Amino acid sequence: MSFCTYPTSLTNVFETENRHRIGTSVIVLLILCLLVLNFSPNFKSVDSSRSSPFGGDFLQEWVGGQILLSDQRGKLYDTEFFASRQHDPGALGFHWNEASYYPPIYPPGYYLVVSPLSQIPYQTAAVIWLLGSLVCLFLVFYLVGRHHPMGDYVWIWGPLLALVFTPVLFSLNIGHKSMLILLVLTSTYLLLYHKKAFWAGLVLGAIAFKPHYILLLALMMLLQRDWRFVAGLAVSGIGWLLLCVCAGPFLLLDYVTTLAGTTDYTQQGGYQLTMAHGLVSSAELSLGWLDGFVSKWAGRLVAVGVVIALAITLRRKVDCRSAQFAAWFSAIVIATVLVSPHFYQYDLTILILPLLLGIYYVDIRRDLYAKMLAVTMLAFVVLAGLFEPVAAMTGVQISLFLLIAWLLLLVRSSRCGAGMGDKTMAATE
């Protein structure tokens, strides 16, 4: 329903301006693509030996899909076989560091979903994967612009964040799934905003192959007794189970056995604590002079404390179309970073969502808390590229302090609206 009618000429001006903004955004995303393809070491096609594989982490998806569709699918979770297939120059077209490999860490249903890409020559498939990530980022902006009162302004702020927030470029460079996860989290928020809890849960379950992204939000919705959301999440979980059975029931058993026998991820060779974010990894980095067991459990206990504190402070339901709900959801996303056992620099891409919500809802004219929240978000964006070198030099991950401050301010905003403007207008249905 429209509350006012604009003259046709004025409407045409708005439509033209919107097309220009979308066109500019597409150009920005294409520039990001060209930067990665032309300047990233991970996308330079060379015949000589490489220190890392072309396309980065995507090699794991491609090899996993190939094995799953082959007559040797039973070896999908055979670590030595999986590693050997990642170093087959005949299939890949290059050699890379024999001492490194990506272990099979996802359920067989996931490798089944990505398996069509394994039927394409590897380097072509890696470029398609990169383009798919950019499409996911574009869809984030489109969905926010179409289904949130931020509207067309997302076409200004979204591409700007994509250009200056270094985790975005890092994610594209490494061939990671962060853009897909950002799209799923954004869709989940928008569905909750429009009071479609079942579909929100169903969509969130799409990233159940990375459970640490969904567990905290699922717990909070369970505590709020939002059974429609829980039902949607359960249906999604059943879908994943059926996919795994289709891939091979015996593979699902192998996957569970592999998970049960996996040692602490941060203790595996090649894990870089200076690139990791969160309470557990930061405790191990900063308290490395202590016994490893002590530092590890110190981080875990604090993470459990954060979850308990959130469960107590954020149990009260708020209007899904309010600024307080935007703060509530953003707080869950920030807390997910803090309590996750493994969260690298490129994973921080998901913070694009709370940044966009903050840009729209935070009113710096309102009070001191609004100014503090705005400064914290700005500092995180500006300093993101320095997190790793500072951690390497000092043994302190400064992102931890910014994340904690951000979380505390969001929790306060979700409870009393401090710092958040009163923007509860309905978006386009």
Side-chain angles (χ1 to χ4, degrees):
M1 179 182 294
S2 176
F3 293 96
C4 58
T5 303
Y6 297 103
T8 303
S9 59
L10 189 56
T11 301
N12 291 336
V13 170
F14 288 157
E15 291 178 351
T16 301
E17 184 179 0
N18 186 33
R19 286 196 295 269
H20 287 165
R21 289 174 177 174
I22 295 176
T24 302
S25 300
V26 172
I27 291 173
V28 168
L29 295 180
L30 288 176
I31 289 173
L32 282 174
C33 181
L34 292 175
L35 284 174
V36 172
L37 289 176
N38 286 282
F39 297 102
S40 168
N42 281 352
F43 283 89
K44 286 187 177 179
S45 181
V46 292
D47 295 328
S48 59
S49 296
R50 303 170 57 94
S51 59
S52 61
F54 183 94
D57 287 11
F58 171 68
L59 179 61
Q60 178 185 163
E61 276 82 9
W62 193 82
V63 168
Q66 269 214 334
I67 295 174
L68 186 66
L69 297 182
S70 72
D71 56 1
Q72 295 178 303
R73 63 193 309 177
K75 294 184 178 182
L76 179 61
Y77 294 100
D78 182 328
T79 304
E80 292 185 4
F81 180 75
F82 199 88
S84 67
R85 291 294 296 270
Q86 294 178 35
H87 292 279
D88 180 2
L92 302 179
F94 58 85
H95 297 268
W96 68 290
N97 187 1
E98 294 283 347
S100 300
Y101 74 99
Y102 298 103
I105 58 174
Y106 298 120
Y110 174 77
Y111 291 116
L112 180 62
V113 170
V114 300
S115 62
L117 284 173
S118 69
Q119 303 307 294
I120 302 173
Y122 175 70
Q123 296 188 27
T124 301
V127 174
I128 293 174
W129 185 264
L130 170 64
L131 294 174
S133 294
L134 289 167
V135 170
C136 287
L137 188 57
F138 177 85
L139 288 175
V140 168
F141 302 153
Y142 174 80
L143 291 175
V144 172
R146 180 70 177 82
H147 298 289
H148 190 268
M150 186 177 197
D152 296 340
Y153 287 104
V154 73
W155 297 110
I156 298 174
W157 292 107
L160 180 60
L161 283 174
L163 281 175
V164 302
F165 193 43
T166 54
V168 172
L169 189 58
F170 194 14
S171 175
L172 294 172
N173 172 58
I174 206 70
H176 198 255
K177 297 168 282 296
S178 301
M179 303 301 175
L180 172 62
I181 296 169
L182 172 63
L183 175 60
V184 169
L185 290 175
T186 302
S187 301
T188 301
Y189 167 77
L190 292 173
L191 286 166
L192 289 173
Y193 179 91
H194 288 283
K195 304 181 189 299
K196 298 178 180 179
F198 174 82
W199 294 105
L202 188 69
V203 168
L204 182 65
I207 52 174
F209 59 89
K210 276 184 168 286
H212 57 282
Y213 282 97
I214 69 174
L215 288 178
L216 186 56
L217 179 56
L219 173 63
M220 297 305 298
M221 298 301 281
L222 183 62
L223 290 174
Q224 291 190 353
R225 299 181 181 179
D226 193 327
W227 304 121
R228 291 180 300 168
F229 183 92
V230 174
L233 194 58
V235 170
S236 194
I238 293 171
W240 274 113
L241 182 61
L242 291 176
L243 278 173
C244 290
V245 171
C246 289
F250 57 92
L251 289 177
L252 181 58
L253 180 60
D254 288 346
Y255 173 66
V256 173
T257 302
T258 299
L259 287 184
T262 301
T263 58
D264 182 19
Y265 199 77
T266 62
Q267 300 302 314
Q268 294 185 8
Y271 191 87
Q272 297 172 283
L273 286 173
T274 56
M275 288 181 58
H277 304 268
L279 291 163
V280 176
S281 56
S282 295
E284 291 191 57
L285 175 66
S286 301
L287 302 177
W289 50 275
L290 291 174
D291 178 79
F293 178 84
V294 175
S295 61
K296 183 190 310 176
W297 277 99
R300 289 175 177 174
L301 289 174
V302 176
V304 170
V306 169
V307 174
I308 294 174
L310 288 176
I312 294 173
T313 58
L314 299 182
R315 287 186 63 181
R316 182 172 63 88
K317 287 188 177 182
V318 295
D319 181 4
C320 291
R321 295 200 171 191
S322 68
Q324 288 176 271
F325 179 73
W328 182 91
F329 196 93
S330 296
I332 300 302
V333 174
I334 302 297
T336 296
V337 178
L338 286 169
V339 303
S340 293
H342 169 61
F343 214 93
Y344 258 13
Q345 181 83 348
Y346 43 74
D347 293 306
L348 295 176
T349 298
I350 67 169
L351 298 184
I352 288 288
L353 176 57
L355 285 169
L356 285 174
L357 293 176
I359 288 171
Y360 178 71
Y361 284 110
V362 176
D363 185 356
I364 59 175
R365 300 166 300 178
R366 189 177 177 91
D367 52 36
L368 176 61
Y369 291 102
K371 294 179 176 62
M372 292 171 62
L373 188 51
V375 169
T376 301
M377 291 191 299
L378 179 61
F380 199 93
V381 172
V382 172
L383 297 176
L386 299 176
F387 290 156
E388 182 187 358
V390 171
M393 288 188 296
T394 66
V396 176
Q397 185 56 269
I398 58 175
S399 68
L400 180 67
F401 303 102
L402 291 172
L403 287 168
I404 291 174
W406 197 352
L407 176 62
L408 291 174
L409 290 166
L410 286 171
V411 169
R412 179 180 175 85
S413 297
S414 69
R415 288 173 60 84
C416 60
M420 308 297 278
D422 184 19
K423 298 180 179 179
T424 56
M425 68 183 90
T428 304
E429 293 287 356

